[in-house]
Amino acid sequence: MRVINKNQENNCSDNQSIVSDHCTNNHGHHHHNHIKDAIGSRLLFTLILNLIIPLSQFFGGIYAGSVALISDATHNFSDFIAVFISLIAYRMGKKGATIDNTFGYRRAEIFAALLNASILIVFSIFILREAFHRFSQPEIVSGEVVMCFAGIGILGNGLSAWMLYKDSKHSLNIRGAFIHMLGDFFTSIAVLISGAIMFFVQWYWLDPLLSVMIVVFIFVNAWSILKASVKILMNATPEGIDLQAIQESLSDIQEIIGVHYLHTWQLSSSDIAFSCHLVVEDQLVSHTEKLVEQINHLLLHKFGINHPILQIETKNCGEGSLFCEMSCNGKEKQK
């Protein structure tokens, strides 16, 4: 048996379509660093902005007596904490692989997403508790002040969401922050409308009702991020990946006799790893290089897998099933 993955390094110049961490020339390396630095700058700007917004809304909510504005400020402050954690995780994720951490520190961002989601859920419980208290004992709310500070939230959260939109496509951590900012943007609009209504009519029950709606929105989004983070940390099969479809596609390649012991997992929110055993005719290792190149191309462009690990064999390991046996170690099963 032999693990084959060296062609990803040897054929970088001839096969630009194959993605590999080894396939990086000097220009690409500097361009990649430039993109990374831009992400860090946007996170830092968003961090500062999301400290100013909740502080102003919090004191405005106390002055106006608005629990909706305070709950919006609490949510925005939780976003400050989220972005702060994201920034730390992003800095950690830039570290390369080491002897002790051979995959590097990219999963630090997943831990950050998990922590952020947990914090949001805890904040939601406290906001909900205060909102129900206000239902039983409504308090006078200053509609003018609520409208003023909600306007600050609309401007700040809208700008923050715009800053994070591009990066949210590639990172679960930043995507979570983006969803929060976008949610805060629409929440601030709702608070503004609520303040406008209370300016004309004394519907003070509208304030805690809006708080409950905000909590529901926070909880739903936090729960989705929590589930996605746990799945990645548990090395679960990524969303949209069908192992049986991969097995069938690989089995359709003429040179492959059998495919078994398939595993796929996410190294980070944007990197998908895959490993399997491939049964081929007995031959020189060098003769399998074009086959491995073909498989890597198929996995990347059809299934979005960019970190394949392929083990070449000349006979089935165990019973040759989809998952093989957990005890499979290259030796025949003892009878």
Side-chain angles (χ1 to χ4, degrees), residues 123-188:
F123 279 168
S124 298
I125 294 172
F126 282 105
I127 296 172
L128 194 62
R129 177 182 168 184
E130 180 63 22
F132 280 120
H133 174 71
R134 287 293 184 94
F135 271 123
S136 59
Q137 298 178 12
E139 296 184 14
I140 297 175
V141 177
S142 174
E144 306 98 301
V145 177
V146 170
M147 291 170 63
C148 177
F149 285 97
I152 294 175
I154 291 172
L155 292 175
N157 291 317
L159 181 58
S160 297
W162 178 75
M163 291 287 291
L164 296 178
Y165 171 70
K166 183 178 180 181
D167 303 325
S168 69
K169 299 178 181 179
H170 313 291
S171 169
L172 176 64
N173 193 18
I174 298 179
R175 190 184 313 154
F178 166 73
I179 290 174
H180 293 321
M181 301 304 166
L182 189 63
D184 289 343
F185 174 73
F186 289 117
T187 299
S188 295

Side-chain angles (χ1 to χ4, degrees), residues 38-47 83 86-87 90 164 174:
I39 293 173
S41 298
R42 286 192 286 269
L43 278 172
L44 184 59
F45 177 83
T46 305
L47 179 69
V83 176
S86 297
L87 185 59
Y90 160 76
L164 296 178
I174 298 179

Side-chain angles (χ1 to χ4, degrees), residues 277-296:
H277 294 186
L278 299 170
V279 182
V280 299
E281 294 287 348
D282 194 4
Q283 57 189 289
L284 293 174
V285 172
S286 58
H287 291 172
T288 64
E289 289 184 354
K290 284 194 173 295
L291 172 62
V292 172
E293 179 184 329
Q294 179 184 356
I295 293 171
N296 288 341

Side-chain angles (χ1 to χ4, degrees), residues 48-154:
I48 296 172
L49 193 60
N50 279 271
L51 177 60
I52 297 172
I53 295 171
L55 286 177
S56 62
Q57 287 186 315
F58 180 77
F59 288 112
I62 293 176
Y63 179 77
S66 171
V67 68
L69 191 55
I70 293 175
S71 66
D72 193 22
T74 304
H75 187 198
N76 284 332
F77 186 72
S78 71
D79 287 338
F80 165 78
I81 297 175
V83 176
F84 180 68
I85 294 172
S86 297
L87 185 59
I88 294 175
Y90 160 76
R91 298 296 183 190
M92 289 182 62
K94 291 178 68 177
K95 295 182 179 180
T98 65
I99 296 293
D100 295 325
N101 294 280
T102 56
F103 282 111
Y105 294 83
R106 283 174 292 181
R107 279 199 175 177
E109 291 195 86
I110 307 304
F111 279 106
L114 179 65
L115 180 58
N116 287 335
S118 301
I119 291 172
L120 277 175
I121 291 174
V122 172
F123 279 168
S124 298
I125 294 172
F126 282 105
I127 296 172
L128 194 62
R129 177 182 168 184
E130 180 63 22
F132 280 120
H133 174 71
R134 287 293 184 94
F135 271 123
S136 59
Q137 298 178 12
E139 296 184 14
I140 297 175
V141 177
S142 174
E144 306 98 301
V145 177
V146 170
M147 291 170 63
C148 177
F149 285 97
I152 294 175
I154 291 172

